[in-house]
Amino acid sequence: MLDKTIYKQIFKASFDAPIDVEFWDGEEVSYGEGTPIAKIKLNEIIPIKDIMAHASLTFGEAYMDGKIEITGDLQQLITVIYQSKDSFMNNSKFSKFIPKRSHSEKASKADVQSHYDIGNEFYKMWLDPTMTYSCAYFASEQDSLEDAQWNKVRHIINKLHAKPDETLLDIGCGWGTLIFTAAKEYDLEATGVTLSQEQYDFVTAKIKAEGLEGRVHVYLKDYRELVQTYDHVTSVGMFEHVGKENLQEYFEQVSNRLTDEGTALIHGITGQHDGAGVDAWINKYIFPGGYIPNVAENITHILHTPMQLDDLEPLRRHYQRTLEIWTENFHKVKEDVVGTYGMRFYRMWDLYLQSCAASFESGNIDVMQYLLTKGASCKNLPMTRAYIYHADVAHGIKLN
């Protein structure tokens, strides 16, 4: 059968590690030598033309629908596929379908709400108690995920070199961990902005519950609607949502929101090589409208604003570990997730978490922290990075 022959060619090119494959007719084929890291079972034929048109979308949907079953180490399987230069995920013959997306304020709001407004209860099932849904910072091998998330927030604020009573804006504030920390531990007046109704309601209730109405503020609006300036701007896991066509505007807005002596810390997923871009399956099912820029793109956009780049820190291994812990947590609540949302939804999120961990492990994507200043205002920062680590230790981060 032609489809089966081509499948075998695809798998042979894609797997540099031992993999077992069982085809729809019961035939089993082993690729590589040694103990298999995973087994792929194809329960039915998936048209080759669909794989060639948009590989990640086709295989992602097939996994969600049970047309493909995978036993063993799913993360390692995906890592192997990414690392093989001739695999169907990397070879131009099996190029990804990249749909063009609108990123008007209305479209951006719909995209964000489709992901974050699944419900706070869903995220509470498997995130740590800080409700932080972004890369943690493991300063020590002994750090728990919760420790590492507190580390990340404090590490970001420490880089800003902020002083008491200064103002801070967090673009895409999530469930508010950063702005509450800025207010309570650093004595800053902190403002968050989000497009998620669920997150806005959560933060609003917490502000009232903790009596922080005068120090913490949150707005349910697009960041492009803001007009006030702030001493410091942070944005964590946000620029991945704005779209390729809006990246320049995003960095211009960061610059416009900064005072002339201000500092900004932008933290987000990026590629160190060309082609990070858009994954069709993730774009359709997880992050509608998402786009992962490479480092050169972001720096080019930064250079077209009045801001300057003062520091750049890669945290790829930190996000891999974060995702691995999320996956462990997610597996522990499988029964609850399936009972509430269904098996297809569970398989979708499981694939998402493990494929992202594999992307970081393979170096397919990275995560960076960009420390930016307005013009030549870097004169306000200390001469070396020592101030960051001194502040980290002072705020309880136990460095290796």
Side-chain angles (χ1 to χ4, degrees), residues 112-132:
V112 168
Q113 291 184 348
S114 73
H115 186 84
Y116 293 100
D117 286 355
I118 295 171
N120 291 339
E121 293 306 314
F122 170 68
Y123 290 100
K124 285 179 182 177
M125 288 181 182
W126 51 276
L127 293 181
D128 71 283
T130 70
M131 287 291 284
T132 304

mmCIF file with all atom_site columns, all heavy atoms in Angstrom, residues 112-132:
data_model
loop_
_atom_site.group_PDB
_atom_site.id
_atom_site.type_symbol
_atom_site.label_atom_id
_atom_site.label_alt_id
_atom_site.label_comp_id
_atom_site.label_asym_id
_atom_site.label_entity_id
_atom_site.label_seq_id
_atom_site.pdbx_PDB_ins_code
_atom_site.Cartn_x
_atom_site.Cartn_y
_atom_site.Cartn_z
_atom_site.occupancy
_atom_site.B_iso_or_equiv
_atom_site.pdbx_formal_charge
_atom_site.auth_seq_id
_atom_site.auth_comp_id
_atom_site.auth_asym_id
_atom_site.auth_atom_id
_atom_site.pdbx_PDB_model_num
ATOM 1   N N   . VAL A 1 112 ? -7.304  35.604 23.516 1.00 0.00 ? 112 VAL A N   1
ATOM 2   C CA  . VAL A 1 112 ? -6.893  35.436 24.908 1.00 0.00 ? 112 VAL A CA  1
ATOM 3   C C   . VAL A 1 112 ? -7.972  34.709 25.702 1.00 0.00 ? 112 VAL A C   1
ATOM 4   O O   . VAL A 1 112 ? -7.692  33.780 26.465 1.00 0.00 ? 112 VAL A O   1
ATOM 5   C CB  . VAL A 1 112 ? -6.572  36.801 25.548 1.00 0.00 ? 112 VAL A CB  1
ATOM 6   C CG1 . VAL A 1 112 ? -6.427  36.672 27.059 1.00 0.00 ? 112 VAL A CG1 1
ATOM 7   C CG2 . VAL A 1 112 ? -5.290  37.368 24.942 1.00 0.00 ? 112 VAL A CG2 1
ATOM 8   N N   . GLN A 1 113 ? -9.221  35.116 25.524 1.00 0.00 ? 113 GLN A N   1
ATOM 9   C CA  . GLN A 1 113 ? -10.290 34.510 26.302 1.00 0.00 ? 113 GLN A CA  1
ATOM 10  C C   . GLN A 1 113 ? -10.515 33.056 25.936 1.00 0.00 ? 113 GLN A C   1
ATOM 11  O O   . GLN A 1 113 ? -10.930 32.257 26.775 1.00 0.00 ? 113 GLN A O   1
ATOM 12  C CB  . GLN A 1 113 ? -11.579 35.326 26.151 1.00 0.00 ? 113 GLN A CB  1
ATOM 13  C CG  . GLN A 1 113 ? -11.486 36.692 26.827 1.00 0.00 ? 113 GLN A CG  1
ATOM 14  C CD  . GLN A 1 113 ? -12.771 37.477 26.788 1.00 0.00 ? 113 GLN A CD  1
ATOM 15  O OE1 . GLN A 1 113 ? -13.705 37.126 26.070 1.00 0.00 ? 113 GLN A OE1 1
ATOM 16  N NE2 . GLN A 1 113 ? -12.832 38.546 27.554 1.00 0.00 ? 113 GLN A NE2 1
ATOM 17  N N   . SER A 1 114 ? -10.226 32.678 24.689 1.00 0.00 ? 114 SER A N   1
ATOM 18  C CA  . SER A 1 114 ? -10.409 31.277 24.299 1.00 0.00 ? 114 SER A CA  1
ATOM 19  C C   . SER A 1 114 ? -9.466  30.365 25.071 1.00 0.00 ? 114 SER A C   1
ATOM 20  O O   . SER A 1 114 ? -9.754  29.192 25.275 1.00 0.00 ? 114 SER A O   1
ATOM 21  C CB  . SER A 1 114 ? -10.164 31.106 22.790 1.00 0.00 ? 114 SER A CB  1
ATOM 22  O OG  . SER A 1 114 ? -8.785  31.214 22.482 1.00 0.00 ? 114 SER A OG  1
ATOM 23  N N   . HIS A 1 115 ? -8.330  30.898 25.524 1.00 0.00 ? 115 HIS A N   1
ATOM 24  C CA  . HIS A 1 115 ? -7.350  30.090 26.264 1.00 0.00 ? 115 HIS A CA  1
ATOM 25  C C   . HIS A 1 115 ? -7.503  30.261 27.769 1.00 0.00 ? 115 HIS A C   1
ATOM 26  O O   . HIS A 1 115 ? -7.630  29.284 28.506 1.00 0.00 ? 115 HIS A O   1
ATOM 27  C CB  . HIS A 1 115 ? -5.935  30.489 25.837 1.00 0.00 ? 115 HIS A CB  1
ATOM 28  C CG  . HIS A 1 115 ? -4.869  29.612 26.429 1.00 0.00 ? 115 HIS A CG  1
ATOM 29  N ND1 . HIS A 1 115 ? -4.513  28.412 25.874 1.00 0.00 ? 115 HIS A ND1 1
ATOM 30  C CD2 . HIS A 1 115 ? -4.109  29.754 27.533 1.00 0.00 ? 115 HIS A CD2 1
ATOM 31  C CE1 . HIS A 1 115 ? -3.562  27.848 26.605 1.00 0.00 ? 115 HIS A CE1 1
ATOM 32  N NE2 . HIS A 1 115 ? -3.297  28.659 27.625 1.00 0.00 ? 115 HIS A NE2 1
ATOM 33  N N   . TYR A 1 116 ? -7.526  31.496 28.237 1.00 0.00 ? 116 TYR A N   1
ATOM 34  C CA  . TYR A 1 116 ? -7.469  31.736 29.671 1.00 0.00 ? 116 TYR A CA  1
ATOM 35  C C   . TYR A 1 116 ? -8.833  31.670 30.349 1.00 0.00 ? 116 TYR A C   1
ATOM 36  O O   . TYR A 1 116 ? -8.899  31.524 31.573 1.00 0.00 ? 116 TYR A O   1
ATOM 37  C CB  . TYR A 1 116 ? -6.801  33.087 29.956 1.00 0.00 ? 116 TYR A CB  1
ATOM 38  C CG  . TYR A 1 116 ? -5.345  33.087 29.577 1.00 0.00 ? 116 TYR A CG  1
ATOM 39  C CD1 . TYR A 1 116 ? -4.903  33.652 28.389 1.00 0.00 ? 116 TYR A CD1 1
ATOM 40  C CD2 . TYR A 1 116 ? -4.411  32.480 30.400 1.00 0.00 ? 116 TYR A CD2 1
ATOM 41  C CE1 . TYR A 1 116 ? -3.565  33.628 28.041 1.00 0.00 ? 116 TYR A CE1 1
ATOM 42  C CE2 . TYR A 1 116 ? -3.070  32.452 30.061 1.00 0.00 ? 116 TYR A CE2 1
ATOM 43  C CZ  . TYR A 1 116 ? -2.657  33.032 28.879 1.00 0.00 ? 116 TYR A CZ  1
ATOM 44  O OH  . TYR A 1 116 ? -1.332  32.999 28.525 1.00 0.00 ? 116 TYR A OH  1
ATOM 45  N N   . ASP A 1 117 ? -9.912  31.790 29.584 1.00 0.00 ? 117 ASP A N   1
ATOM 46  C CA  . ASP A 1 117 ? -11.231 31.742 30.197 1.00 0.00 ? 117 ASP A CA  1
ATOM 47  C C   . ASP A 1 117 ? -11.857 30.356 30.142 1.00 0.00 ? 117 ASP A C   1
ATOM 48  O O   . ASP A 1 117 ? -13.077 30.209 30.209 1.00 0.00 ? 117 ASP A O   1
ATOM 49  C CB  . ASP A 1 117 ? -12.150 32.798 29.567 1.00 0.00 ? 117 ASP A CB  1
ATOM 50  C CG  . ASP A 1 117 ? -11.787 34.204 30.037 1.00 0.00 ? 117 ASP A CG  1
ATOM 51  O OD1 . ASP A 1 117 ? -10.910 34.321 30.909 1.00 0.00 ? 117 ASP A OD1 1
ATOM 52  O OD2 . ASP A 1 117 ? -12.365 35.174 29.527 1.00 0.00 ? 117 ASP A OD2 1
ATOM 53  N N   . ILE A 1 118 ? -11.021 29.318 30.008 1.00 0.00 ? 118 ILE A N   1
ATOM 54  C CA  . ILE A 1 118 ? -11.503 27.954 30.221 1.00 0.00 ? 118 ILE A CA  1
ATOM 55  C C   . ILE A 1 118 ? -12.098 27.863 31.620 1.00 0.00 ? 118 ILE A C   1
ATOM 56  O O   . ILE A 1 118 ? -13.057 27.139 31.853 1.00 0.00 ? 118 ILE A O   1
ATOM 57  C CB  . ILE A 1 118 ? -10.354 26.937 30.077 1.00 0.00 ? 118 ILE A CB  1
ATOM 58  C CG1 . ILE A 1 118 ? -9.822  26.941 28.640 1.00 0.00 ? 118 ILE A CG1 1
ATOM 59  C CG2 . ILE A 1 118 ? -10.805 25.533 30.463 1.00 0.00 ? 118 ILE A CG2 1
ATOM 60  C CD1 . ILE A 1 118 ? -8.546  26.133 28.475 1.00 0.00 ? 118 ILE A CD1 1
ATOM 61  N N   . GLY A 1 119 ? -11.525 28.630 32.528 1.00 0.00 ? 119 GLY A N   1
ATOM 62  C CA  . GLY A 1 119 ? -11.998 28.647 33.912 1.00 0.00 ? 119 GLY A CA  1
ATOM 63  C C   . GLY A 1 119 ? -10.832 28.561 34.872 1.00 0.00 ? 119 GLY A C   1
ATOM 64  O O   . GLY A 1 119 ? -9.908  27.782 34.674 1.00 0.00 ? 119 GLY A O   1
ATOM 65  N N   . ASN A 1 120 ? -10.870 29.390 35.908 1.00 0.00 ? 120 ASN A N   1
ATOM 66  C CA  . ASN A 1 120 ? -9.801  29.366 36.899 1.00 0.00 ? 120 ASN A CA  1
ATOM 67  C C   . ASN A 1 120 ? -9.654  27.999 37.551 1.00 0.00 ? 120 ASN A C   1
ATOM 68  O O   . ASN A 1 120 ? -8.554  27.586 37.921 1.00 0.00 ? 120 ASN A O   1
ATOM 69  C CB  . ASN A 1 120 ? -10.066 30.423 37.980 1.00 0.00 ? 120 ASN A CB  1
ATOM 70  C CG  . ASN A 1 120 ? -9.917  31.846 37.461 1.00 0.00 ? 120 ASN A CG  1
ATOM 71  O OD1 . ASN A 1 120 ? -9.259  32.075 36.452 1.00 0.00 ? 120 ASN A OD1 1
ATOM 72  N ND2 . ASN A 1 120 ? -10.543 32.792 38.136 1.00 0.00 ? 120 ASN A ND2 1
ATOM 73  N N   . GLU A 1 121 ? -10.771 27.281 37.702 1.00 0.00 ? 121 GLU A N   1
ATOM 74  C CA  . GLU A 1 121 ? -10.721 25.980 38.358 1.00 0.00 ? 121 GLU A CA  1
ATOM 75  C C   . GLU A 1 121 ? -9.867  24.987 37.583 1.00 0.00 ? 121 GLU A C   1
ATOM 76  O O   . GLU A 1 121 ? -9.211  24.129 38.180 1.00 0.00 ? 121 GLU A O   1
ATOM 77  C CB  . GLU A 1 121 ? -12.143 25.429 38.550 1.00 0.00 ? 121 GLU A CB  1
ATOM 78  C CG  . GLU A 1 121 ? -12.988 26.214 39.537 1.00 0.00 ? 121 GLU A CG  1
ATOM 79  C CD  . GLU A 1 121 ? -12.315 26.371 40.891 1.00 0.00 ? 121 GLU A CD  1
ATOM 80  O OE1 . GLU A 1 121 ? -11.792 25.353 41.394 1.00 0.00 ? 121 GLU A OE1 1
ATOM 81  O OE2 . GLU A 1 121 ? -12.304 27.495 41.426 1.00 0.00 ? 121 GLU A OE2 1
ATOM 82  N N   . PHE A 1 122 ? -9.879  25.084 36.246 1.00 0.00 ? 122 PHE A N   1
ATOM 83  C CA  . PHE A 1 122 ? -9.043  24.194 35.437 1.00 0.00 ? 122 PHE A CA  1
ATOM 84  C C   . PHE A 1 122 ? -7.574  24.417 35.747 1.00 0.00 ? 122 PHE A C   1
ATOM 85  O O   . PHE A 1 122 ? -6.818  23.467 35.975 1.00 0.00 ? 122 PHE A O   1
ATOM 86  C CB  . PHE A 1 122 ? -9.317  24.417 33.950 1.00 0.00 ? 122 PHE A CB  1
ATOM 87  C CG  . PHE A 1 122 ? -8.334  23.724 33.035 1.00 0.00 ? 122 PHE A CG  1
ATOM 88  C CD1 . PHE A 1 122 ? -8.301  22.338 32.956 1.00 0.00 ? 122 PHE A CD1 1
ATOM 89  C CD2 . PHE A 1 122 ? -7.427  24.450 32.274 1.00 0.00 ? 122 PHE A CD2 1
ATOM 90  C CE1 . PHE A 1 122 ? -7.383  21.691 32.132 1.00 0.00 ? 122 PHE A CE1 1
ATOM 91  C CE2 . PHE A 1 122 ? -6.519  23.817 31.446 1.00 0.00 ? 122 PHE A CE2 1
ATOM 92  C CZ  . PHE A 1 122 ? -6.503  22.424 31.377 1.00 0.00 ? 122 PHE A CZ  1
ATOM 93  N N   . TYR A 1 123 ? -7.139  25.664 35.771 1.00 0.00 ? 123 TYR A N   1
ATOM 94  C CA  . TYR A 1 123 ? -5.727  25.959 36.009 1.00 0.00 ? 123 TYR A CA  1
ATOM 95  C C   . TYR A 1 123 ? -5.322  25.656 37.455 1.00 0.00 ? 123 TYR A C   1
ATOM 96  O O   . TYR A 1 123 ? -4.183  25.265 37.720 1.00 0.00 ? 123 TYR A O   1
ATOM 97  C CB  . TYR A 1 123 ? -5.432  27.414 35.645 1.00 0.00 ? 123 TYR A CB  1
ATOM 98  C CG  . TYR A 1 123 ? -5.505  27.660 34.154 1.00 0.00 ? 123 TYR A CG  1
ATOM 99  C CD1 . TYR A 1 123 ? -6.637  28.225 33.578 1.00 0.00 ? 123 TYR A CD1 1
ATOM 100 C CD2 . TYR A 1 123 ? -4.458  27.291 33.318 1.00 0.00 ? 123 TYR A CD2 1
ATOM 101 C CE1 . TYR A 1 123 ? -6.712  28.426 32.210 1.00 0.00 ? 123 TYR A CE1 1
ATOM 102 C CE2 . TYR A 1 123 ? -4.526  27.481 31.952 1.00 0.00 ? 123 TYR A CE2 1
ATOM 103 C CZ  . TYR A 1 123 ? -5.653  28.054 31.401 1.00 0.00 ? 123 TYR A CZ  1
ATOM 104 O OH  . TYR A 1 123 ? -5.738  28.236 30.034 1.00 0.00 ? 123 TYR A OH  1
ATOM 105 N N   . LYS A 1 124 ? -6.253  25.824 38.385 1.00 0.00 ? 124 LYS A N   1
ATOM 106 C CA  . LYS A 1 124 ? -5.957  25.494 39.773 1.00 0.00 ? 124 LYS A CA  1
ATOM 107 C C   . LYS A 1 124 ? -5.645  24.012 39.953 1.00 0.00 ? 124 LYS A C   1
ATOM 108 O O   . LYS A 1 124 ? -4.958  23.628 40.900 1.00 0.00 ? 124 LYS A O   1
ATOM 109 C CB  . LYS A 1 124 ? -7.136  25.872 40.669 1.00 0.00 ? 124 LYS A CB  1
ATOM 110 C CG  . LYS A 1 124 ? -7.293  27.357 40.931 1.00 0.00 ? 124 LYS A CG  1
ATOM 111 C CD  . LYS A 1 124 ? -8.516  27.627 41.804 1.00 0.00 ? 124 LYS A CD  1
ATOM 112 C CE  . LYS A 1 124 ? -8.710  29.118 42.035 1.00 0.00 ? 124 LYS A CE  1
ATOM 113 N NZ  . LYS A 1 124 ? -9.939  29.396 42.829 1.00 0.00 ? 124 LYS A NZ  1
ATOM 114 N N   . MET A 1 125 ? -6.162  23.165 39.038 1.00 0.00 ? 125 MET A N   1
ATOM 115 C CA  . MET A 1 125 ? -5.944  21.729 39.153 1.00 0.00 ? 125 MET A CA  1
ATOM 116 C C   . MET A 1 125 ? -4.465  21.358 39.081 1.00 0.00 ? 125 MET A C   1
ATOM 117 O O   . MET A 1 125 ? -4.029  20.405 39.725 1.00 0.00 ? 125 MET A O   1
ATOM 118 C CB  . MET A 1 125 ? -6.679  20.986 38.030 1.00 0.00 ? 125 MET A CB  1
ATOM 119 C CG  . MET A 1 125 ? -8.179  20.936 38.147 1.00 0.00 ? 125 MET A CG  1
ATOM 120 S SD  . MET A 1 125 ? -8.854  19.992 36.750 1.00 0.00 ? 125 MET A SD  1
ATOM 121 C CE  . MET A 1 125 ? -10.622 20.103 37.069 1.00 0.00 ? 125 MET A CE  1
ATOM 122 N N   . TRP A 1 126 ? -3.673  22.109 38.279 1.00 0.00 ? 126 TRP A N   1
ATOM 123 C CA  . TRP A 1 126 ? -2.314  21.645 38.011 1.00 0.00 ? 126 TRP A CA  1
ATOM 124 C C   . TRP A 1 126 ? -1.236  22.723 38.090 1.00 0.00 ? 126 TRP A C   1
ATOM 125 O O   . TRP A 1 126 ? -0.052  22.396 38.072 1.00 0.00 ? 126 TRP A O   1
ATOM 126 C CB  . TRP A 1 126 ? -2.248  20.954 36.640 1.00 0.00 ? 126 TRP A CB  1
ATOM 127 C CG  . TRP A 1 126 ? -2.834  21.753 35.512 1.00 0.00 ? 126 TRP A CG  1
ATOM 128 C CD1 . TRP A 1 126 ? -4.153  21.817 35.138 1.00 0.00 ? 126 TRP A CD1 1
ATOM 129 C CD2 . TRP A 1 126 ? -2.144  22.606 34.612 1.00 0.00 ? 126 TRP A CD2 1
ATOM 130 N NE1 . TRP A 1 126 ? -4.319  22.656 34.065 1.00 0.00 ? 126 TRP A NE1 1
ATOM 131 C CE2 . TRP A 1 126 ? -3.089  23.145 33.712 1.00 0.00 ? 126 TRP A CE2 1
ATOM 132 C CE3 . TRP A 1 126 ? -0.800  22.950 34.457 1.00 0.00 ? 126 TRP A CE3 1
ATOM 133 C CZ2 . TRP A 1 126 ? -2.748  24.027 32.685 1.00 0.00 ? 126 TRP A CZ2 1
ATOM 134 C CZ3 . TRP A 1 126 ? -0.450  23.833 33.437 1.00 0.00 ? 126 TRP A CZ3 1
ATOM 135 C CH2 . TRP A 1 126 ? -1.424  24.354 32.564 1.00 0.00 ? 126 TRP A CH2 1
ATOM 136 N N   . LEU A 1 127 ? -1.613  23.996 38.215 1.00 0.00 ? 127 LEU A N   1
ATOM 137 C CA  . LEU A 1 127 ? -0.600  25.013 38.495 1.00 0.00 ? 127 LEU A CA  1
ATOM 138 C C   . LEU A 1 127 ? -0.251  24.968 39.981 1.00 0.00 ? 127 LEU A C   1
ATOM 139 O O   . LEU A 1 127 ? -0.932  24.336 40.775 1.00 0.00 ? 127 LEU A O   1
ATOM 140 C CB  . LEU A 1 127 ? -1.124  26.402 38.119 1.00 0.00 ? 127 LEU A CB  1
ATOM 141 C CG  . LEU A 1 127 ? -1.367  26.679 36.627 1.00 0.00 ? 127 LEU A CG  1
ATOM 142 C CD1 . LEU A 1 127 ? -1.865  28.101 36.443 1.00 0.00 ? 127 LEU A CD1 1
ATOM 143 C CD2 . LEU A 1 127 ? -0.098  26.447 35.799 1.00 0.00 ? 127 LEU A CD2 1
ATOM 144 N N   . ASP A 1 128 ? 0.808   25.666 40.361 1.00 0.00 ? 128 ASP A N   1
ATOM 145 C CA  . ASP A 1 128 ? 1.169   25.730 41.773 1.00 0.00 ? 128 ASP A CA  1
ATOM 146 C C   . ASP A 1 128 ? 0.296   26.785 42.463 1.00 0.00 ? 128 ASP A C   1
ATOM 147 O O   . ASP A 1 128 ? -0.472  27.491 41.791 1.00 0.00 ? 128 ASP A O   1
ATOM 148 C CB  . ASP A 1 128 ? 2.659   26.073 41.905 1.00 0.00 ? 128 ASP A CB  1
ATOM 149 C CG  . ASP A 1 128 ? 2.940   27.508 41.517 1.00 0.00 ? 128 ASP A CG  1
ATOM 150 O OD1 . ASP A 1 128 ? 2.978   27.799 40.295 1.00 0.00 ? 128 ASP A OD1 1
ATOM 151 O OD2 . ASP A 1 128 ? 3.074   28.354 42.419 1.00 0.00 ? 128 ASP A OD2 1
ATOM 152 N N   . PRO A 1 129 ? 0.379   26.919 43.772 1.00 0.00 ? 129 PRO A N   1
ATOM 153 C CA  . PRO A 1 129 ? -0.504  27.850 44.489 1.00 0.00 ? 129 PRO A CA  1
ATOM 154 C C   . PRO A 1 129 ? -0.388  29.315 44.064 1.00 0.00 ? 129 PRO A C   1
ATOM 155 O O   . PRO A 1 129 ? -1.312  30.097 44.326 1.00 0.00 ? 129 PRO A O   1
ATOM 156 C CB  . PRO A 1 129 ? -0.088  27.673 45.958 1.00 0.00 ? 129 PRO A CB  1
ATOM 157 C CG  . PRO A 1 129 ? 0.409   26.263 46.022 1.00 0.00 ? 129 PRO A CG  1
ATOM 158 C CD  . PRO A 1 129 ? 1.113   26.034 44.715 1.00 0.00 ? 129 PRO A CD  1
ATOM 159 N N   . THR A 1 130 ? 0.713   29.710 43.425 1.00 0.00 ? 130 THR A N   1
ATOM 160 C CA  . THR A 1 130 ? 0.829   31.102 42.988 1.00 0.00 ? 130 THR A CA  1
ATOM 161 C C   . THR A 1 130 ? -0.032  31.385 41.756 1.00 0.00 ? 130 THR A C   1
ATOM 162 O O   . THR A 1 130 ? -0.179  32.541 41.365 1.00 0.00 ? 130 THR A O   1
ATOM 163 C CB  . THR A 1 130 ? 2.293   31.466 42.645 1.00 0.00 ? 130 THR A CB  1
ATOM 164 O OG1 . THR A 1 130 ? 2.688   30.781 41.447 1.00 0.00 ? 130 THR A OG1 1
ATOM 165 C CG2 . THR A 1 130 ? 3.231   31.130 43.784 1.00 0.00 ? 130 THR A CG2 1
ATOM 166 N N   . MET A 1 131 ? -0.577  30.362 41.132 1.00 0.00 ? 131 MET A N   1
ATOM 167 C CA  . MET A 1 131 ? -1.352  30.498 39.896 1.00 0.00 ? 131 MET A CA  1
ATOM 168 C C   . MET A 1 131 ? -0.533  31.243 38.828 1.00 0.00 ? 131 MET A C   1
ATOM 169 O O   . MET A 1 131 ? -1.020  32.146 38.144 1.00 0.00 ? 131 MET A O   1
ATOM 170 C CB  . MET A 1 131 ? -2.672  31.215 40.162 1.00 0.00 ? 131 MET A CB  1
ATOM 171 C CG  . MET A 1 131 ? -3.697  30.374 40.887 1.00 0.00 ? 131 MET A CG  1
ATOM 172 S SD  . MET A 1 131 ? -4.337  29.012 39.874 1.00 0.00 ? 131 MET A SD  1
ATOM 173 C CE  . MET A 1 131 ? -5.449  29.904 38.787 1.00 0.00 ? 131 MET A CE  1
ATOM 174 N N   . THR A 1 132 ? 0.714   30.849 38.695 1.00 0.00 ? 132 THR A N   1
ATOM 175 C CA  . THR A 1 132 ? 1.596   31.473 37.706 1.00 0.00 ? 132 THR A CA  1
ATOM 176 C C   . THR A 1 132 ? 1.730   30.547 36.509 1.00 0.00 ? 132 THR A C   1
ATOM 177 O O   . THR A 1 132 ? 2.184   29.411 36.638 1.00 0.00 ? 132 THR A O   1
ATOM 178 C CB  . THR A 1 132 ? 2.981   31.744 38.311 1.00 0.00 ? 132 THR A CB  1
ATOM 179 O OG1 . THR A 1 132 ? 2.821   32.543 39.495 1.00 0.00 ? 132 THR A OG1 1
ATOM 180 C CG2 . THR A 1 132 ? 3.849   32.502 37.322 1.00 0.00 ? 132 THR A CG2 1
#
